[in-house]
mmCIF file of all heavy atoms in Angstrom:
data_model
loop_
_atom_site.group_PDB
_atom_site.id
_atom_site.type_symbol
_atom_site.label_atom_id
_atom_site.label_comp_id
_atom_site.label_asym_id
_atom_site.label_seq_id
_atom_site.Cartn_x
_atom_site.Cartn_y
_atom_site.Cartn_z
ATOM 1 N N ARG P 247 -10.283 16.951 -11.325
ATOM 2 C CA ARG P 247 -10.980 17.485 -12.500
ATOM 3 C C ARG P 247 -12.429 17.025 -12.512
ATOM 4 O O ARG P 247 -13.350 17.817 -12.764
ATOM 5 C CB ARG P 247 -10.270 17.021 -13.777
ATOM 6 C CG ARG P 247 -11.013 17.401 -15.062
ATOM 7 C CD ARG P 247 -10.275 16.917 -16.286
ATOM 8 N NE ARG P 247 -10.091 15.479 -16.285
ATOM 9 C CZ ARG P 247 -11.028 14.599 -16.630
ATOM 10 N NH1 ARG P 247 -12.252 15.034 -16.978
ATOM 11 N NH2 ARG P 247 -10.790 13.299 -16.631
ATOM 12 N N MET P 248 -12.668 15.746 -12.228
ATOM 13 C CA MET P 248 -14.028 15.215 -12.234
ATOM 14 C C MET P 248 -14.881 15.846 -11.138
ATOM 15 O O MET P 248 -16.068 16.124 -11.333
ATOM 16 C CB MET P 248 -13.993 13.695 -12.053
ATOM 17 C CG MET P 248 -13.395 12.946 -13.232
ATOM 18 S SD MET P 248 -13.368 11.170 -12.915
ATOM 19 C CE MET P 248 -12.746 10.573 -14.489
ATOM 20 N N VAL P 249 -14.276 16.085 -9.974
ATOM 21 C CA VAL P 249 -15.020 16.713 -8.874
ATOM 22 C C VAL P 249 -15.443 18.126 -9.261
ATOM 23 O O VAL P 249 -16.573 18.557 -8.983
ATOM 24 C CB VAL P 249 -14.171 16.720 -7.587
ATOM 25 C CG1 VAL P 249 -14.795 17.624 -6.530
ATOM 26 C CG2 VAL P 249 -14.033 15.296 -7.040
ATOM 27 N N ARG P 250 -14.531 18.872 -9.898
ATOM 28 C CA ARG P 250 -14.880 20.227 -10.337
ATOM 29 C C ARG P 250 -16.046 20.206 -11.329
ATOM 30 O O ARG P 250 -16.945 21.048 -11.273
ATOM 31 C CB ARG P 250 -13.664 20.897 -10.985
ATOM 32 C CG ARG P 250 -12.591 21.341 -10.009
ATOM 33 C CD ARG P 250 -11.612 22.294 -10.659
ATOM 34 N NE ARG P 250 -10.927 21.676 -11.797
ATOM 35 C CZ ARG P 250 -9.778 21.020 -11.714
ATOM 36 N NH1 ARG P 250 -9.185 20.889 -10.535
ATOM 37 N NH2 ARG P 250 -9.213 20.502 -12.780
ATOM 38 N N GLU P 251 -16.032 19.202 -12.217
ATOM 39 C CA GLU P 251 -17.086 19.114 -13.225
ATOM 40 C C GLU P 251 -18.440 18.767 -12.613
ATOM 41 O O GLU P 251 -19.487 19.124 -13.163
ATOM 42 C CB GLU P 251 -16.711 18.062 -14.269
ATOM 43 C CG GLU P 251 -15.492 18.444 -15.114
ATOM 44 C CD GLU P 251 -15.014 17.291 -15.985
ATOM 45 O OE1 GLU P 251 -15.545 16.166 -15.807
ATOM 46 O OE2 GLU P 251 -14.120 17.512 -16.830
ATOM 47 N N ARG P 252 -18.444 18.081 -11.469
ATOM 48 C CA ARG P 252 -19.689 17.605 -10.869
ATOM 49 C C ARG P 252 -20.129 18.439 -9.665
ATOM 50 O O ARG P 252 -21.147 18.140 -9.038
ATOM 51 C CB ARG P 252 -19.533 16.139 -10.434
ATOM 52 C CG ARG P 252 -19.441 15.168 -11.603
ATOM 53 C CD ARG P 252 -18.832 13.849 -11.146
ATOM 54 N NE ARG P 252 -18.880 12.842 -12.182
ATOM 55 C CZ ARG P 252 -18.058 12.816 -13.236
ATOM 56 N NH1 ARG P 252 -17.138 13.764 -13.384
ATOM 57 N NH2 ARG P 252 -18.149 11.852 -14.146
ATOM 58 N N ARG P 253 -19.365 19.473 -9.333
ATOM 59 C CA ARG P 253 -19.644 20.220 -8.102
ATOM 60 C C ARG P 253 -21.057 20.792 -8.082
ATOM 61 O O ARG P 253 -21.750 20.723 -7.067
ATOM 62 C CB ARG P 253 -18.609 21.324 -7.945
ATOM 63 C CG ARG P 253 -18.695 22.071 -6.627
ATOM 64 C CD ARG P 253 -17.463 22.905 -6.410
ATOM 65 N NE ARG P 253 -16.285 22.080 -6.168
ATOM 66 C CZ ARG P 253 -15.043 22.437 -6.507
ATOM 67 N NH1 ARG P 253 -14.833 23.586 -7.115
ATOM 68 N NH2 ARG P 253 -14.019 21.645 -6.229
ATOM 69 N N GLU P 254 -21.496 21.366 -9.188
ATOM 70 C CA GLU P 254 -22.834 21.946 -9.232
ATOM 71 C C GLU P 254 -23.911 20.877 -9.075
ATOM 72 O O GLU P 254 -24.930 21.097 -8.429
ATOM 73 C CB GLU P 254 -23.026 22.703 -10.552
ATOM 74 C CG GLU P 254 -22.245 24.005 -10.633
ATOM 75 C CD GLU P 254 -22.593 24.955 -9.506
ATOM 76 O OE1 GLU P 254 -23.798 25.045 -9.150
ATOM 77 O OE2 GLU P 254 -21.682 25.604 -8.961
ATOM 78 N N LYS P 255 -23.656 19.710 -9.659
ATOM 79 C CA LYS P 255 -24.618 18.611 -9.544
ATOM 80 C C LYS P 255 -24.771 18.171 -8.101
ATOM 81 O O LYS P 255 -25.874 17.852 -7.641
ATOM 82 C CB LYS P 255 -24.163 17.445 -10.416
ATOM 83 C CG LYS P 255 -24.970 16.162 -10.224
ATOM 84 C CD LYS P 255 -24.329 14.995 -10.952
ATOM 85 C CE LYS P 255 -25.010 13.687 -10.607
ATOM 86 N NZ LYS P 255 -24.350 12.517 -11.242
ATOM 87 N N TRP P 256 -23.662 18.150 -7.351
ATOM 88 C CA TRP P 256 -23.701 17.671 -5.977
ATOM 89 C C TRP P 256 -24.193 18.732 -4.992
ATOM 90 O O TRP P 256 -24.592 18.402 -3.885
ATOM 91 C CB TRP P 256 -22.296 17.222 -5.550
ATOM 92 C CG TRP P 256 -21.802 16.019 -6.277
ATOM 93 C CD1 TRP P 256 -22.548 15.069 -6.914
ATOM 94 C CD2 TRP P 256 -20.433 15.635 -6.451
ATOM 95 N NE1 TRP P 256 -21.744 14.111 -7.476
ATOM 96 C CE2 TRP P 256 -20.435 14.433 -7.205
ATOM 97 C CE3 TRP P 256 -19.220 16.163 -6.060
ATOM 98 C CZ2 TRP P 256 -19.273 13.773 -7.557
ATOM 99 C CZ3 TRP P 256 -18.052 15.514 -6.410
ATOM 100 C CH2 TRP P 256 -18.079 14.335 -7.151
ATOM 101 N N ARG P 257 -24.127 19.983 -5.390
ATOM 102 C CA ARG P 257 -24.393 21.065 -4.450
ATOM 103 C C ARG P 257 -25.752 20.925 -3.764
ATOM 104 O O ARG P 257 -25.903 21.146 -2.576
ATOM 105 C CB ARG P 257 -24.297 22.413 -5.148
ATOM 106 C CG ARG P 257 -24.118 23.582 -4.195
ATOM 107 C CD ARG P 257 -23.988 24.874 -4.970
ATOM 108 N NE ARG P 257 -22.841 24.873 -5.852
ATOM 109 C CZ ARG P 257 -21.594 25.168 -5.457
ATOM 110 N NH1 ARG P 257 -21.353 25.448 -4.189
ATOM 111 N NH2 ARG P 257 -20.602 25.156 -6.312
ATOM 112 N N GLY P 258 -26.780 20.548 -4.497
ATOM 113 C CA GLY P 258 -28.115 20.442 -3.918
ATOM 114 C C GLY P 258 -28.546 19.027 -3.622
ATOM 115 O O GLY P 258 -29.744 18.772 -3.430
ATOM 116 N N LEU P 259 -27.574 18.095 -3.573
ATOM 117 C CA LEU P 259 -27.926 16.685 -3.375
ATOM 118 C C LEU P 259 -28.607 16.461 -2.032
ATOM 119 O O LEU P 259 -29.638 15.770 -1.949
ATOM 120 C CB LEU P 259 -26.673 15.809 -3.494
ATOM 121 C CG LEU P 259 -26.877 14.294 -3.412
ATOM 122 C CD1 LEU P 259 -27.832 13.822 -4.502
ATOM 123 C CD2 LEU P 259 -25.534 13.564 -3.532
ATOM 124 N N ALA P 260 -28.085 17.053 -0.963
ATOM 125 C CA ALA P 260 -28.667 16.857 0.369
ATOM 126 C C ALA P 260 -30.090 17.405 0.421
ATOM 127 O O ALA P 260 -30.994 16.776 0.995
ATOM 128 C CB ALA P 260 -27.796 17.533 1.425
#
Side-chain angles (χ1 to χ4, degrees):
R247 174 180 59 80
M248 292 179 176
V249 168
R250 286 195 300 269
E251 293 171 352
R252 290 161 173 76
R253 187 167 291 150
E254 288 303 320
K255 171 189 172 183
W256 293 338
R257 198 178 299 277
L259 184 58

